[in-house]
Amino acid sequence: MITLPEFLDGTTPHCGPATARLFDSTDPADEQQAAALCTDCPLRPACAQHALTAPEERGTWGGLTAHQRRRIRNPDDTAWVDDEGRLRVACGTYRALQAHLRYGEACGPCRAAQAVRTERARRASLAAAHAAGGTVAGAAIHRRLGEPTCVRCRAAVARHSAVQRAARRMAQPEQHPELAMAS
């Protein structure tokens, strides 16, 4: 069980005996609930600082899980804790974008970097579609990229549509008695 540190100066924290199991758990759902309890706690910055300097190896302290604290203490990691006690990483990365979304923030550099990553992935998928001679998925990627569909992908869509129409006609033989008699 976690023992109370010296930084408790008589201020009542949002955690207590009723929620202690959440703060000592390694279950991600419990860690998330514990961090949510820390959100508006007046002791959050001092609690997080204590956990980083003590160092506390287990539990959620100041809204930071043991994993997050290890990342902050790792000299090869660029993570840090902001003034509100939240884990941050360098903007422009996917992890930073996820953190901004989790905290309900908008970040232009992170969104721009994500747009570049998305376009790069789409272009790689499109190259694979073109290597296969054009595909229906390739046509959809062209549309997502906001560019006209190439001839090979447009032909793949036409072939797919023709097959779908033929399949629908074959599924309804009563409309085409000549097909029903042939089978």
Side-chain angles (χ1 to χ4, degrees):
M1 190 52 90
I2 298 172
T3 58
L4 298 178
E6 302 93 33
F7 71 84
L8 290 174
D9 58 0
T11 306
T12 304
H14 289 175
C15 57
T19 59
R21 71 165 187 79
L22 296 174
F23 288 88
D24 199 35
S25 176
T26 56
D27 177 27
D30 289 345
E31 289 176 336
Q32 189 174 12
Q33 284 182 317
L37 288 171
C38 294
T39 302
D40 296 326
C41 182
L43 296 172
R44 181 179 184 164
C47 185
Q49 188 61 39
H50 164 79
L52 289 167
T53 57
E56 293 290 347
E57 296 298 324
R58 298 183 42 103
T60 300
W61 290 79
L64 299 173
T65 65
H67 172 73
Q68 291 170 326
R69 291 191 307 275
R70 278 192 299 277
R71 286 193 61 204
I72 292 168
R73 288 190 301 259
N74 179 355
D76 296 330
D77 201 330
T78 60
W80 73 93
V81 177
D82 68 7
D83 293 337
E84 297 177 31
R86 300 177 299 193
L87 182 68
R88 296 298 188 159
V89 292
C91 282
T93 63
Y94 181 72
R95 286 189 143 179
L97 176 65
Q98 293 298 87
H100 288 304
L101 293 174
R102 185 172 46 254
Y103 301 140
E105 304 166 339
C107 176
C110 285
R111 289 194 185 274
Q114 181 61 26
V116 169
R117 288 189 295 272
T118 300
E119 182 173 353
R120 194 175 303 134
R122 286 179 178 165
R123 294 260 176 228
S125 296
L126 187 58
H130 288 159
T135 64
V136 174
I141 294 169
H142 280 294
R143 286 191 300 275
R144 285 188 193 108
L145 290 170
E147 62 189 32
T149 306
C150 71
V151 173
R152 292 179 292 183
C153 290
R154 199 170 33 238
V157 170
R159 285 189 304 273
H160 178 73
S161 295
V163 168
Q164 293 298 314
R165 282 192 305 273
R168 282 193 301 271
R169 280 194 309 266
M170 295 300 283
Q172 299 172 346
E174 62 278 352
Q175 291 179 357
H176 301 280
E178 68 278 0
L179 292 176
M181 292 171 36
S183 53

